[in-house]
């Protein structure tokens, strides 16, 4: 057995164990009886320990060191070079974090999550505050295991490898400065009638419409499943086993449909990865920002576009004749793109959404840098909402307790991917349109083949070979840039809000 085959087989064991771990998490979020939480926690803890032992095994480390020398001498094939690079990163991370630290952190998180649920039920942040304080200590300690320029960097690395806090600070500042005046101008306008989106829409009917749409978008029911969960998500166990979830609100048409399209974007990405990468660390998307660029591309850039609904609106009217028979396409399009001040991130429109993310990013920065004390976090949250969106939560559920992120993981690095994803969704889309100029005409006919082809050839096929920065450069010929996204938002919303006459004509 050559060294590289040996490495591949050792890593493949880890890969499959991690897939099993994901399967346990998926089951926990979908079908597991509530009472099984504790036993599931034990099962997952044991498995996590086995995975860590495999990843930090001396034989594996020795092998990686030998192969790194061969790499320097140029003996490795391309795919193995990338596999080795990703493996080194994963192993380095696993070696730096002491098992005892992880054990006590996960124990702490179990309690925190319980307290979080109770705090939400009671609508009282104070209940979970002491636990969050400990989570912040754990997050700082996690960062201390790595060399860094900024304390947030190691935490960002977990989801967006190699992106730096210093870059994000200035990038988000530029976004804020350029978007804020335009957003405020729109927020001053009278909004559109959205009442028809909040009629009664039977659950089964909503699900069958969502299934119809995602199938048309390329979701392959032979390789993928759609299930229900409280918080929609996508997960993957193998090249031919990808799962997404959605949730249905019978009084809100948008929830199930757009979350299904969003998760389908994640699934299309995973479906398109080179089948050769099955069983390796390359068989996954690159980072949270690249992944979100795909979910947001399908959810917003395509799924909330006029082109898309020119084709699909008559189909929607067939599905829900009573609810939509007296609503024109134009009114429907305006309603699903209505911009308003709101408190809940996941329900926000495309324009205000980024401020929800920037608020959280700035709070994470402040907590880790020490300029915001955890005791003042709730007030800092409310203050930022007043500042950017001129609105403030009336209670904790609408504010500091709305997102699950800080209560199930470290504090830091968990939100930037959403806004970077928005920005990148347009950068990729523009690059695709440059290569195939009929993409939008095709979308008007319900045909997504050219867009799929561009995404697959330039993004999906490469799996996890490159870093975020590398793939953006490779696919678009540019670094991550703001302009395409800002132009997209300004064109789209000027057209919706300021254009005289019908928006359908040109
Ligand atoms: Zn997502």
């Amino acid at each position: 057995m050559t060294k590289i085959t040996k490495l591949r087989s050792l890593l493949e064991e880890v890969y499959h164990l991690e897939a099993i771990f994901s399967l346990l998490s998926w089951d926990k979020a979908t079908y597991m009886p509530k009472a099984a939480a504790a036993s599931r926690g034990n099962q997952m803890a044991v498995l996590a320990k086995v995975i860590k032992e495999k990843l930090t095994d001396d034989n594996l480390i020795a092998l990686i060191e030998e192969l790194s020398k061969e790499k320097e001498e140029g003996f490795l094939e391309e795919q193995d070079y990338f596999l080795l690079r990703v493996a080194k990163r994963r192993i380095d991370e696993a070696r730096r974090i002491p098992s005892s630290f992880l054990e006590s952190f996960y124990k702490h998180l179990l309690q925190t999550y319980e307290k979080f649920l109770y705090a939400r039920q009671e609508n009282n942040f104070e209940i979970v505050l002491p636990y969050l304080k400990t989570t912040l200590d754990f997050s700082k300690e996690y960062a201390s295991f790595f060399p860094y320029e900024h304390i947030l960097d190691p935490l960002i690395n977990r989801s967006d490898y190699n992106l730096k806090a210093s870059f994000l600070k200035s990038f988000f500042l530029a976004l804020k400065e350029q978007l804020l005046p335009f957003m405020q101008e729109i927020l001053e306008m009278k909004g559109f009638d959205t009442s028809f989106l909040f009629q009664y829409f039977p659950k089964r009917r909503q699900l069958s419409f969502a299934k119809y749409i995602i199938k048309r978008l390329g979701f392959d029911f032979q390789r993928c499943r759609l299930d229900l969960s409280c918080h929609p998500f996508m997960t993957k166990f193998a090249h031919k086993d990808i799962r997404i979830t959605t949730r249905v609100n019978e009084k809100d048409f948008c929830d199930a449909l757009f979350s299904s399209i969003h998760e389908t974007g994640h699934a299309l990405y995973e479906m398109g990865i080179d089948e050769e990468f099955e069983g390796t660390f390359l068989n996954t998307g690159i980072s949270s920002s690249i992944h979100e660029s795909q979910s947001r591309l399908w959810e917003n850039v395509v799924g909330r576009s006029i082109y898309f609904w020119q084709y699909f609106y008559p189909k929607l009217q067939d599905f829900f004749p009573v609810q939509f028979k007296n609503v024109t396409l134009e009114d429907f399009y305006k309603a699903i793109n209505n911009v308003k001040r709101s408190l809940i991130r996941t329900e926000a429109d495309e324009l205000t959404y980024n401020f929800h993310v920037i608020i959280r990013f700035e709070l994470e920065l402040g907590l880790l840098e020490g300029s915001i004390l955890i005791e003042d976090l709730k007030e800092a949250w409310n203050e930022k909402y007043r500042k950017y969106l001129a609105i403030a939560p009336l209670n904790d559920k609408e504010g500091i307790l709305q997102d699950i992120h800080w209560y199930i993981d470290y504090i830091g690095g968990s939100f930037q991917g959403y806004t970077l994803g928005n920005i990148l969704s347009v950068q990729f889309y523009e690059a695709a349109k440059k290569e195939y100029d009929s993409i939008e005409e095709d979308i008007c006919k319900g045909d997504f083949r050219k867009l799929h082809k561009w995404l697959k050839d330039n993004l999906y096929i490469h799996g996890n070979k490159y870093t975020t920065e590398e793939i953006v450069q490779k696919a678009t010929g540019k670094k991550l840039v703001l302009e395409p996204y800002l132009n997209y938002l300004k064109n789209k919303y000027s057209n919706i809000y300021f254009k005289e006459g019908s928006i359908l004509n040109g």
Side-chain angles (χ1 to χ4, degrees), residues 77-87 282 465-466:
E77 294 200 12
E78 202 208 352
Q79 186 185 324
D80 294 326
Y81 164 81
F82 286 109
L83 179 63
L84 186 65
R85 190 168 80 151
V86 177
L282 301 179
K465 268 162 70 175
Y466 302 107

Side-chain angles (χ1 to χ4, degrees), residues 14 49-61 90-97 99:
V14 177
K49 206 170 150 201
V50 174
I51 291 170
K52 184 178 155 88
E53 280 165 9
K54 292 247 176 215
L55 257 182
T56 50
D57 176 73
D58 291 341
N59 292 325
L60 178 62
I61 289 162
R90 292 281 322 271
I91 291 164
D92 178 61
E93 191 200 340
R95 288 176 79 183
R96 284 175 185 276
I97 318 291
S99 299

Side-chain angles (χ1 to χ4, degrees), residues 150-192:
H150 189 285
I151 185 165
L152 186 56
D153 290 346
L155 292 150
I156 294 173
N157 267 346
R158 298 174 67 233
S159 55
D160 268 298
Y161 183 74
N162 228 15
L163 278 185
K164 298 274 182 284
S166 55
F167 165 77
L168 288 172
K169 271 193 209 176
S170 57
F171 199 64
F172 285 170
L173 183 66
L175 175 68
K176 215 160 69 173
E177 284 175 351
Q178 295 185 58
L179 199 54
L180 200 58
F182 181 70
M183 182 186 80
Q184 278 165 344
E185 199 184 342
I186 300 266
L187 284 171
E188 294 302 312
M189 310 273 298
K190 193 170 161 280
F192 302 113

Side-chain angles (χ1 to χ4, degrees), residues 108 112 115 125-137 374-375:
H108 162 71
T112 309
K115 290 286 168 192
F125 175 62
E126 299 297 321
I127 293 171
V128 72
L129 174 64
Y131 293 83
L132 203 58
K133 198 176 168 141
T134 310
T135 306
L136 182 61
D137 294 336
I374 200 107
E375 291 79 2

Side-chain angles (χ1 to χ4, degrees), residues 4 22 29 96 123 136 153 180-181 187 197 213 228 236 250 286 333 348 371 390 393 413 448 450 460 470 491:
I4 194 74
S22 305
R96 284 175 185 276
N123 212 343
L136 182 61
D153 290 346
L180 200 58
L187 284 171
L197 298 173
I213 291 285
L228 294 172
K236 174 181 178 180
E250 290 194 314
I286 292 174
Y333 173 66
S371 60
F448 305 100
K450 290 202 183 95
Y460 300 172
E470 288 168 351
N491 285 336

Side-chain angles (χ1 to χ4, degrees), residues 262-263 266 292 295:
H262 178 102
E263 300 309 330
H266 287 302
E292 286 305 315
S295 51

Side-chain angles (χ1 to χ4, degrees), residues 232-234 262-263 266 288 291-292 295-296 299 418:
F233 66 97
M234 185 276 315
H262 178 102
E263 300 309 330
H266 287 302
S288 79
H291 242 298
E292 286 305 315
S295 51
R296 306 295 279 184
E299 177 191 357
Y418 295 118

Side-chain angles (χ1 to χ4, degrees), residues 259-270:
S259 68
S260 301
I261 299 179
H262 178 102
E263 300 309 330
T264 294
H266 287 302
L268 293 174
Y269 183 9
E270 294 291 341

